[in-house]
Amino acid sequence: MWTIFKLLNLFCVLVTSYVWFTALLPLGPLMLVINVALSICLGFLPLQIKIDGQTGRIMLILIAIVLWTVYNENVSIGMTMLFMYLPVMYLIALPREYQEDLLKSVTKWISILLVPSLILYWATLFINLPGFGRYNYPHYEPFINYLFYIKTTYDTGFLVRFNAFLLEPGHLAMMCEFFMMANRYDFKKNPWMWVMLIAIVFSFSLAGYLITFAGFVLLKVNNVAKTLTMAVLLAGFIFAVQNYAGGENAVNNLILDRLKYDEEKGIQGNNRFFNNTDFEFEKALKTGDYWIGVTDKVNMELVGGSGFKIYILKHGLIGVLLVLAFYIALIPPRPDWHFTLSFLFILIMCFIQNSYPGWYSWLMPYVLSLNLYSRGNSSGRHEQNYVATNIDC
């Protein structure tokens, strides 16, 4: 049952990151089925669930989930959100050893799945491999399906961006970064994470590069020597990229050039919103509609892009505050504050340009890592022995 529970968690991460084979399925019913399956597995697992000292915290989490569900006037959206947030309760209920094994297993298996995906990606750069058909999903680039890898047919003029089996390179980079952050960038203890880092590099995702770099600096660069070393390496990397092939390379054109200053956008890469989105957002700020959103006043099909403006237009600033309250409620007793605030900062960075706080690829690494590194999460000798004999069940 424990193996099934771990596989369901892996599946849930992929589903909410928009893996190609479930992207067209209704998310609400699918998450309901996953929740039922997770609860059944948890019920059959031979473990002792202890909530001593956490009753208040669990009540806060449940209140935050219920408030967010009730806040949505659209019943379908509200129930979908409910089923997306509920799995965190199963994660919190697990003993520490199970939490650690779950994080390690899901990190490893995402990396394993990325191996054939990367091989196919590199092969298709040089060989015209036959795929399993060409697909065109709404709101995403057309792609050729290779099962473990979907190759977008959008021509950037340089290398095709790697998105593995997900519909968006940014989704892939975001998922990998959060699991690397949850594992504290400990490549020695988790060597499979090198695959995730390679995936982020070939995603050519500006946001992915920035949050990965920021997360590493926050957790690993903690003295003058490391700071100077990082500065020298970064300067050397920028110099090499800008001069390789006269600057005509994918990293320079898809990453560094997008960081150049622009008078209207701030930076060249600030292309998360369509013009109509900016117009409606500015209008909502003037009328005060930004508090509750404008879905009942605006044709949201005409509001394109991704990021915080879209989220506020859909859910309002109140929705943002409810989500923030939920993430704060997830912080365990006696947390490692440096790690906790660092992870929250990375999530906020990601929210600004890709606002998907209900995705399990956000919630699972965040919840597990905060609990694992909490000073209040320690197991007694008896419970450690008990779990050790049943962890492979």
Side-chain angles (χ1 to χ4, degrees):
M1 273 296 181
W2 178 238
T3 300
I4 296 175
F5 187 85
K6 290 191 290 185
L7 289 174
L8 285 168
N9 274 270
L10 172 62
F11 182 64
C12 195
V13 168
L14 297 179
V15 165
T16 58
S17 298
Y18 279 63
V19 67
W20 68 265
F21 53 83
T22 64
L24 296 182
L25 297 177
L27 186 58
L30 186 57
M31 288 302 301
L32 171 60
V33 172
I34 293 173
N35 271 274
V36 171
L38 286 171
S39 61
I40 291 173
C41 288
L42 197 61
F44 279 95
L45 283 175
L47 53 82
Q48 297 175 352
I49 298 173
K50 293 185 177 181
I51 60 173
D52 297 343
Q54 296 196 68
T55 305
R57 176 191 174 212
I58 290 173
M59 289 301 298
L60 280 176
I61 295 171
L62 287 173
I63 289 171
I65 293 175
V66 171
L67 283 176
W68 178 236
T69 303
V70 174
Y71 172 71
N72 287 275
E73 293 182 1
N74 186 307
V75 176
S76 176
I77 294 177
M79 295 308 294
T80 298
M81 291 297 178
L82 172 65
F83 298 138
M84 289 179 69
Y85 286 119
L86 272 180
V88 300
M89 304 305 298
Y90 311 133
L91 301 180
I92 293 171
L94 294 172
R96 184 184 187 282
E97 287 74 13
Y98 281 85
Q99 293 173 339
E100 185 174 14
D101 185 56
L102 179 59
L103 178 60
K104 182 178 180 181
S105 295
V106 174
T107 303
K108 176 180 177 181
W109 279 103
I110 289 174
S111 302
I112 289 174
L113 291 173
L114 286 173
V115 171
S117 186
L118 281 164
I119 292 173
L120 285 166
Y121 166 71
W122 290 322
T124 56
L125 292 177
F126 306 102
I127 306 171
N128 187 20
L129 293 177
F132 294 90
R134 178 181 170 125
Y135 297 81
N136 192 356
Y137 285 12
H139 311 300
Y140 290 95
E141 300 297 337
F143 62 88
I144 300 172
N145 196 338
Y146 294 97
L147 300 184
F148 282 93
Y149 166 59
I150 59 173
K151 179 181 180 180
T152 58
T153 55
Y154 174 67
D155 184 10
T156 64
F158 301 95
L159 286 177
V160 175
R161 296 176 62 190
F162 177 63
N163 49 292
F165 28 74
L166 306 181
L167 296 182
E168 247 285 331
H171 297 175
L172 172 68
M174 184 169 58
M175 176 183 70
C176 291
E177 154 57 15
F178 290 157
F179 277 93
M180 289 169 59
M181 186 80 179
N183 286 279
R184 289 181 179 253
Y185 293 88
D186 191 343
F187 290 91
K188 185 175 181 181
K189 185 177 179 181
N190 303 279
W192 280 104
M193 288 196 307
W194 286 109
V195 180
M196 289 186 167
L197 183 59
I198 293 171
I200 292 174
V201 170
F202 283 94
S203 74
F204 297 109
S205 167
L206 174 59
Y209 279 37
L210 290 177
I211 61 175
T212 301
F213 179 75
F216 182 83
V217 170
L218 285 170
L219 295 188
K220 294 297 184 179
V221 182
N222 51 15
N223 57 49
V224 175
K226 288 182 179 180
T227 301
L228 291 174
T229 301
M230 180 60 65
V232 170
L233 289 174
L234 181 61
F237 171 77
I238 293 174
F239 178 81
V241 168
Q242 289 183 332
N243 287 274
Y244 176 73
E248 290 300 313
N249 59 78
V251 175
N252 190 45
N253 284 277
L254 297 176
I255 303 298
L256 295 185
D257 276 355
R258 295 179 65 202
L259 289 171
K260 292 180 179 178
Y261 175 74
D262 183 276
E263 290 186 0
E264 294 184 359
K265 301 191 243 181
I267 61 171
Q268 290 286 348
N270 185 13
N271 59 352
R272 307 304 299 177
F273 311 110
F274 298 170
N275 289 336
N276 194 53
T277 303
D278 290 326
F279 172 78
E280 294 296 345
F281 186 76
E282 294 296 329
K283 182 180 175 183
L285 290 179
K286 292 177 181 178
T287 61
D289 289 332
Y290 68 92
W291 281 104
I292 58 174
V294 296
T295 52
D296 58 336
K297 299 179 181 179
V298 174
N299 182 0
M300 296 303 292
E301 293 294 326
L302 302 178
V303 177
S306 62
F308 75 98
K309 290 184 181 180
I310 301 291
Y311 199 88
I312 291 176
L313 288 174
K314 286 184 176 180
H315 306 292
L317 187 58
I318 292 177
V320 176
L321 295 175
L322 285 173
V323 167
L324 180 60
F326 174 65
Y327 270 82
I328 292 175
L330 290 172
I331 298 175
R334 300 178 63 198
D336 179 337
W337 280 113
H338 175 251
F339 178 81
T340 298
L341 294 177
S342 296
F343 210 144
L344 272 174
F345 178 75
I346 293 301
L347 289 171
I348 291 171
M349 280 185 66
C350 199
F351 180 86
I352 291 172
Q353 58 85 40
N354 239 347
S355 306
Y356 305 120
W359 284 13
Y360 205 53
S361 54
W362 290 45
L363 290 167
M364 180 189 167
Y366 175 76
V367 171
L368 289 179
S369 59
L370 260 61
N371 279 274
L372 284 173
Y373 307 138
S374 166
R375 292 186 295 274
N377 191 351
S378 58
S379 303
R381 183 181 302 275
H382 174 73
E383 185 179 349
Q384 287 179 349
N385 293 336
Y386 174 82
V387 171
T389 59
N390 293 282
I391 197 75
D392 295 323
C393 57

